[in-house]
Amino acid sequence: MDGDVAVGVKRGSDELTMYSSSPTPVTANGSDSKKQRLDESPPSRVLHIRKLPNEVSETEVIALGLPFGKVTNILMLKGKNQAFLELGTEEAAITMVNYYAAVTPQVRNAPVFIQYSNHKELKTDSALNQRAQAVLQAVSAVQDGGSPSSDPGVLDLVPPPSPVLRIIIDNMFYPVTLDVLQQIFSKFGTVMKIITFTKNNQFQALLQFSDPVNAQQAKLSLDGQNIYNSCCTLRIDFSKLVNLNVKYNNDKSRDYTRPDLPTGDGESVNKDHSLLGTPSGALASYSSGGGYSSSLSLSQGGGAISPLSAAAAAAAAAGRVALSGSGVSGVLLASNLNEEMVTPQSIFTLFGVYGDVQRVKILYNKKDSALIQLSDGNQAQLAMSHLNGQKVFGKVMRVTLSKHQTVALPREGLDDQLLTKDFSGSPLHRFKKPGSKNFQNIFPPSATLHLSNVRDAVGEDDLRLLFSNSGGTVKAFKFFQDRKMALIQMTSAEEAIQTLMELHNYDMGGNHHLKVSFSKSTI
């Protein structure tokens, strides 16, 4: 047995008897002989990773979790080609599992399988797991903005040679702009400069971080990944340059430290730094200032969807890419719904947080399931990654892509139970208006809700009472300075989902309809 693995007796691949009090072994998804659904294990911040390549490094396993939040522990089972990864929060782990359910995770170009572990935490014995712990400490130092460990045993984290990365985009079916690259890479630290160009008929870029360590982590996490489904593959290595000289700020080059640079045509650069504020539909600079906060704010409590999905959403928001033509269906199947509680309207409201819902159909012979048609495949992917596995009216909802391309409306007079509804003309679509600020405020379900369009005469007590009467318990409340917006914290994400479905667009009188969305903040 591998020296890192002296743990327990054989009780199934996900059982570490010295760590777990649970007697039930877990079978990983993806094995033809032992296929089980992901939902057979309840969510846990410890994830079980199977079918890893033989020579996989600890750093490569940690890199799977980095885009979703802080990685707090790791246990490598190299003899079994498996590993356990512990994330800082359960929310981060749920987001990671949901994302990789839609986008197959790969290590060294081989697919791996990820599921929840039976373990709620990893209590690793450092004597058995020294090397993995050393790597984790080094990466943690990077996550916290420090320097990696100088431990000579950490072979995988040699000092990075340069803060400048050379990026080549293979299989480029859709345009990749300088702004999309900035959105992706600023997940890993402050992006200072980018130069894009075409060489040998390939789109390439040079991108400079403020710190070589950030460049190293971006390369580890993003090399070989696709920006969009099955295309626009990132190939990343270190540049021999250590500093980029940018003369102009335009759609080909950008120095984020010098907003005063000319565009190259005699005009100064547009100073509008609001998202989508420029006429070209470019995305503004959202440098995270080091650390791992999401560049396009799609994180909540340490969890974040993949920066690649964030970039896809950002690009679609900018109108640069129409992902509906990518062959990905815009129709989702939601199952395990509480059929006594859900309606087409409530489903429209919840899924409408992530895209413009066109039609909803609750299935006549299976009323715990519904088809939801969104405007395009990218919105469907976004909704699925955030809502699959969420608890709604007491039941864990499952969301998958449907084989249907559209949701058919019933012939007139045949839908006597009102199970199908067409929302294509709804005034409540959040993303119909190009450049809407709603594109900046897409977050996973959380206990904290953001309220806007609050009527002047409405006070804190009124809002607390309104949300309490909708079946929840208000734990905290905070008005913004103008009192037209507020944060309200419920007991759980499930309660927040329920109150959002009931109270979004609530008529407060005086032509004021309350707007409710999930927040990344806590009070």
Side-chain angles (χ1 to χ4, degrees), residues 173-411:
F173 289 159
Y174 300 111
V176 175
T177 65
L178 174 151
D179 303 288
V180 166
L181 291 173
Q182 194 272 342
Q183 292 284 350
I184 296 171
F185 283 84
S186 62
K187 177 82 176 169
F188 299 90
T190 303
V191 174
M192 298 179 70
K193 304 171 186 178
I194 306 178
I195 298 172
T196 63
F197 54 96
T198 301
K199 183 177 180 182
N200 301 329
N201 290 322
Q202 275 194 308
F203 179 83
Q204 300 190 26
L206 293 169
L207 183 146
Q208 181 176 339
F209 279 95
S210 58
D211 190 322
V213 166
N214 300 134
Q216 184 179 45
Q217 285 306 312
K219 180 180 183 299
L220 272 172
S221 293
L222 298 178
D223 187 26
Q225 294 220 45
N226 296 331
I227 298 177
Y228 305 118
N229 283 334
S230 307
C231 68
C232 300
T233 307
L234 292 163
R235 280 203 290 125
I236 304 169
D237 54 32
F238 287 102
S239 169
K240 292 175 182 173
L241 301 169
V242 293
N243 187 41
L244 298 179
N245 182 24
V246 176
K247 295 179 179 178
Y248 305 112
N249 282 344
N250 53 35
D251 60 356
K252 296 279 193 288
S253 62
R254 193 80 52 84
D255 185 337
Y256 294 97
T257 68
R258 295 276 314 277
D260 56 319
L261 287 178
T263 60
D265 56 7
E267 297 177 12
S268 61
V269 70
N270 187 328
K271 295 255 179 27
D272 184 351
H273 278 263
S274 60
L275 188 70
L276 316 177
T278 54
S280 64
L283 302 175
S285 162
Y286 283 90
S287 299
S288 61
Y292 281 74
S293 59
S294 175
S295 56
L296 179 66
S297 298
L298 288 166
S299 65
Q300 169 65 38
I305 68 168
S306 159
L308 304 186
S309 276
R320 311 292 290 211
V321 182
L323 283 180
S324 53
S326 65
V328 179
S329 167
V331 180
L332 297 172
L333 173 65
S335 56
N336 201 38
L337 302 172
N338 184 330
E339 58 187 86
E340 302 296 324
M341 302 296 293
V342 298
T343 63
Q345 183 67 46
S346 65
I347 292 170
F348 164 78
T349 303
L350 177 58
F351 282 76
V353 173
Y354 302 106
D356 291 338
V357 176
Q358 304 299 310
R359 293 174 182 175
V360 175
K361 182 187 191 78
I362 294 175
L363 302 186
Y364 182 80
N365 293 321
K366 201 172 188 309
K367 293 189 175 65
D368 70 344
S369 299
L371 292 171
I372 303 107
Q373 181 179 335
L374 290 102
S375 289
D376 61 45
N378 184 64
Q379 291 184 358
Q381 289 271 11
L382 201 59
M384 179 172 67
S385 69
H386 283 312
L387 294 176
N388 181 40
Q390 294 292 339
K391 209 169 186 183
V392 182
F393 294 123
K395 299 185 76 173
V396 176
M397 178 172 66
R398 297 295 162 207
V399 184
T400 58
L401 287 172
S402 168
K403 63 181 185 233
H404 297 284
Q405 294 301 310
T406 59
V407 171
L409 293 174
R411 282 181 300 206

Side-chain angles (χ1 to χ4, degrees), residues 14 25 43 128 304 320 336 407 456 461 463:
D14 191 8
L128 297 174
R320 311 292 290 211
N336 201 38
V407 171
D456 288 342
D461 291 343
L463 289 167

Side-chain angles (χ1 to χ4, degrees), residues 86 111 133 157 161 249 262 270 293 374 415 473 494:
E86 179 186 277
Q133 292 302 307
L157 287 174
N249 282 344
N270 187 328
S293 59
L374 290 102
D415 187 15
T473 302
E494 182 185 2

